[in-house]
């Protein structure tokens, strides 16, 4: 009995696993991703506890913020959240969602903004969590 009690005390706390990250709106075929325009990603997690986990999202290794809890019907085994993204540079961007030791990535090709175009206002995202800095708008690399 004493061994079982020790094992229970040492059990890991509730956590989640990132199951996928998807570029939205995926329903639009042939959408061009252009620097200075705002897009969003949906992040799905399998929750191993109660509540929705915070997931940090990175653009080419730089944290752009934490996910925002999604609204609407959800699969009880898949928690949905999202993050706004505004690439500021053209080129290849690897977007990675991380929660604990779990992560999923998607690679996007960003086109240069047309000459004379006006960038969208910077999207608000929650900060990268404790120890992380809030989004500064210098996404990408």
């Amino acid at each position: 009995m004493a061994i079982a009690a020790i094992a229970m005390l040492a059990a890991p706390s509730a956590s989640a696993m990132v199951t996928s990250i998807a570029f939205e709106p995926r329903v639009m075929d042939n959408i061009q991703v252009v620097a200075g325009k705002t897009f969003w990603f949906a992040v799905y997690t399998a929750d191993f506890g109660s509540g929705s986990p915070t997931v940090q999202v990175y653009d080419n290794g730089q944290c752009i913020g934490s996910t925002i809890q999604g609204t609407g019907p959800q699969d009880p085994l898949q928690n949905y959240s999202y993050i706004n993204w505004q690439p500021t540079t053209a080129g290849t961007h690897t977007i990675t969602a991380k929660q604990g030791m779990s992560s999923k990535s998607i690679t996007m090709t960003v086109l240069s903004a047309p000459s004379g175009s006006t960038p969208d206002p910077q999207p608000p995202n929650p900060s990268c969590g404790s120890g992380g800095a809030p989004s500064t708008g210098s996404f990408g690399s």
Side-chain angles (χ1 to χ4, degrees):
M1 287 292 191
I3 294 172
I6 292 170
M8 284 291 283
L9 292 174
S13 61
S15 63
M17 179 178 71
V18 176
T19 57
S20 66
I21 181 170
F23 175 69
E24 300 291 348
R26 63 180 166 211
V27 296
M28 298 174 65
D29 292 337
N30 302 317
I31 190 168
Q32 293 186 330
V33 180
V34 179
K37 296 298 174 187
T38 302
F39 303 94
W40 61 283
F41 289 92
V43 178
Y44 297 89
T45 58
D47 192 4
F48 300 130
S50 61
S52 179
T54 299
V55 178
Q56 284 75 41
V57 180
Y58 298 81
D59 179 352
N60 289 339
Q62 180 178 356
C63 190
I64 60 173
S66 297
T67 56
I68 301 165
Q69 172 94 28
T71 57
Q74 299 176 16
D75 178 328
L77 299 177
Q78 290 268 326
N79 288 311
Y80 160 81
S81 56
Y82 69 95
I83 190 160
N84 296 301
W85 176 59
Q86 185 186 82
T88 58
T89 60
T92 302
H93 291 254
T94 300
I95 309 301
T96 304
K98 294 182 180 180
Q99 203 287 327
M101 299 293 290
S102 174
S103 68
K104 293 288 181 184
S105 296
I106 188 169
T107 300
M108 306 295 300
T109 300
V110 177
L111 304 174
S112 296
S115 179
S117 64
T118 303
D120 289 345
Q122 202 58 245
N125 286 320
S127 71
C128 292
S130 60
S135 173
T136 62
S138 57
F139 308 162
S141 55

